[in-house]
Amino acid sequence: MKRLFLSSLAIAALLVASCSSDDDAPTTPPTTGPTLDGTIASQDDDDLIVTDLKGNITGDITLAASEAWVLTGSLTVKSGQTLTIEAGTTIKAKAGGTDVFLAVEQGAKIEAKGTAAAPIKFTSNAANPRPGDWGGIVIAGKTPTNKGATAESEVAGLNYGGTDNADNSGTLTYVIAEYTGAKINGDQEFNGVSFYTVGTGTTINNIAVFNGADDGIEFFGGTVNVENVLCVNIKDDMFDGTEGYNGTLTNLFGVRENGFNDATEDPRGIEFDSNGSNNAATPVSMPTFEKVTVLNLSEITPLKSGAEIRRGTEATINNAFFGTVGSASFGNRVDTKDDKGNGTVTFTNAVQQGNVGDDKAGGTITGTFTTDNDAITVATDGTISVKAGVGADFSKFAWTGYKLKN
């Protein structure tokens, strides 16, 4: 009996030891849960996370309007791939990071086709959003730049430049970008939308940038033609370009609201350079503006100039309106003088109203402005109207819901 009792104890001990071993150190790892590697290769990839959108897109991906997307880091569309964003989609960017942006590489495409009834919106996810909460949208193409055969973008680390003036980076239409312009350092800042050598095969129209901490839109070389751009309360320049941009910009409306005081030392309506190191470097920036309005309604911070055309740029501006209300002002109406090279500009059908300052001519300024003190009217409720046919057509921006108010 004693021998049988001891054998039972031994068996029990073995069973306990076996169970304890299984609980503490499983012999096989769990097989459930996502596998994350920082790339989004397909629509069902574990890295495509609605509330944590970031990574390198290495397959054709669609962002559905039915989802509440939160951009939490850099989202880069790699060469050969296409990112499609459905009409009506809202993407909220995590506030406070210089590494939060959307980038489209050379050879990649973005197909962001919003509509007037269902625009695409990029905004901040902050409870109290501010300019500079996140980076912005950066697109790189393959047209020439006068910085050399190729170059690297100021932000996002994209290569750009090439020889294909008809390069196609996709479509950006009926798109709103808010609270952009995160600053990396004194030389590196995001804009609302940055176009690096983007070609004529690309479709860009109906863009609105609100509350940007740097420029509204900027072109670094490129040939793409752009239509209907609204920039509101931009800290630096509303419409900027450099490095040999040759294209047509149609119906641009920029405004700084009354009370706006978040400005750089030298904010301008239009600023265009070609190449400050070599004004003759090709291609020379030769932008054409068709219908452009620059309004400063802020009595706190004057615009440095309505248009600053410099460093070898040869610009044509048809149907321009520079205006102010009350004591708001421009330092200069037009400035073509710069210590790194002057510019030249030709105006036709140019109108001014209010305190727009004198011209600062270093290069050639051709054409004259006429004064029309009825071009801007302010209703008793503060609503502002601009006379039809003078500068840009503001009605083209009804889809944004934005109202001009003094």
Side-chain angles (χ1 to χ4, degrees):
M1 295 293 293
K2 185 176 181 181
R3 187 178 299 137
L4 180 60
F5 176 71
L6 290 172
S7 297
S8 298
L9 287 176
I11 291 169
L14 286 171
L15 289 172
V16 171
S18 175
C19 291
S20 177
S21 177
D22 286 345
D23 290 341
D24 295 340
T27 57
T28 57
T31 57
T32 59
T35 301
L36 306 179
D37 60 6
T39 63
I40 305 171
S42 65
Q43 200 66 39
D44 59 358
D45 196 304
D46 288 336
D47 283 87
L48 184 59
I49 303 171
V50 172
T51 58
D52 190 16
L53 184 60
K54 62 185 178 184
N56 293 322
I57 293 177
T58 61
D60 292 340
I61 302 299
T62 297
L63 302 185
S66 59
E67 301 287 0
W69 299 97
V70 180
L71 183 67
T72 59
S74 60
L75 184 67
T76 302
V77 189
K78 305 299 285 185
S79 180
Q81 311 306 321
T82 299
L83 171 64
T84 300
I85 304 177
E86 291 183 347
T89 300
T90 295
I91 300 172
K92 294 185 177 181
K94 180 181 178 181
T98 59
D99 60 346
V100 181
F101 57 86
L102 170 61
V104 181
E105 286 188 348
Q106 287 182 311
K109 289 184 180 179
I110 181 171
E111 294 294 343
K113 298 179 181 179
T115 67
I120 294 166
K121 179 182 280 191
F122 292 83
T123 189
S124 168
N125 76 340
N128 297 297
R130 300 179 61 184
D133 269 354
W134 66 290
I137 303 168
V138 185
I139 303 175
K142 299 180 180 179
T143 78
T145 169
N146 62 29
K147 286 190 72 174
T150 60
E152 183 176 304
S153 60
E154 175 183 321
V155 293
L158 302 184
N159 292 326
Y160 67 98
T163 59
D164 184 3
N165 282 325
D167 186 42
N168 183 356
S169 296
T171 305
L172 208 66
T173 185
Y174 291 103
V175 172
I176 296 171
E178 300 178 325
Y179 308 109
T180 58
K183 182 176 181 178
I184 299 172
N185 56 47
D187 298 319
Q188 294 176 289
E189 292 178 282
F190 286 89
N191 305 302
V193 188
S194 300
F195 301 101
Y196 285 88
T197 58
V198 174
T200 56
T202 311
T203 300
I204 309 291
N205 59 59
N206 296 293
I207 306 296
V209 181
F210 295 98
N211 302 303
D214 196 44
D215 301 328
I217 61 170
E218 184 165 5
F219 300 88
F220 298 82
T223 56
V224 64
N225 300 313
V226 177
E227 185 174 5
N228 298 335
V229 180
L230 173 66
C231 288
V232 179
N233 288 347
I234 304 302
K235 185 174 180 178
D236 198 32
D237 308 317
M238 298 170 179
F239 314 109
D240 200 350
T242 186
E243 294 184 26
Y245 172 77
N246 280 255
T248 300
L249 307 173
T250 302
N251 207 59
L252 310 184
F253 199 108
V255 57
R256 301 169 75 208
E257 295 175 325
N258 189 10
F260 177 70
N261 64 355
D262 190 13
T264 63
E265 294 180 357
D266 52 2
R268 304 170 178 97
I270 299 169
E271 178 187 278
F272 243 94
D273 301 344
S274 189
N275 187 313
S277 300
N278 177 7
N279 291 179
T282 57
V284 172
S285 291
M286 299 180 68
T288 298
F289 295 82
E290 299 283 352
K291 298 192 296 185
V292 58
T293 290
V294 176
L295 292 183
N296 186 24
L297 309 179
S298 173
E299 299 180 347
I300 301 171
T301 53
L303 281 171
K304 184 177 180 182
S305 59
E308 185 147 334
I309 308 299
R310 60 186 190 177
R311 300 177 185 176
T313 300
E314 302 171 14
T316 300
I317 303 178
N318 301 317
N319 195 355
F321 176 56
F322 295 166
T324 67
V325 171
S327 62
S329 65
F330 295 6
N332 296 110
R333 181 175 62 185
V334 182
D335 184 353
T336 59
K337 184 178 177 59
D338 188 82
D339 59 5
K340 293 184 178 180
N342 299 329
T344 64
V345 58
T346 299
F347 286 93
T348 59
N349 299 320
V351 176
Q352 69 179 54
Q353 181 178 348
N355 305 314
V356 296
D358 298 324
D359 292 342
K360 185 178 179 181
T364 303
I365 301 174
T366 303
T368 59
F369 279 75
T370 59
T371 298
D372 185 345
N373 291 323
D374 297 319
I376 303 173
T377 56
V378 183
T380 54
D381 65 354
T383 301
I384 291 175
S385 299
V386 179
K387 183 183 293 185
V390 176
D393 180 358
F394 184 73
S395 70
K396 297 292 186 181
F397 306 107
W399 61 273
T400 67
Y402 178 72
K403 305 294 184 183
L404 274 176
K405 297 275 286 188
N406 187 34

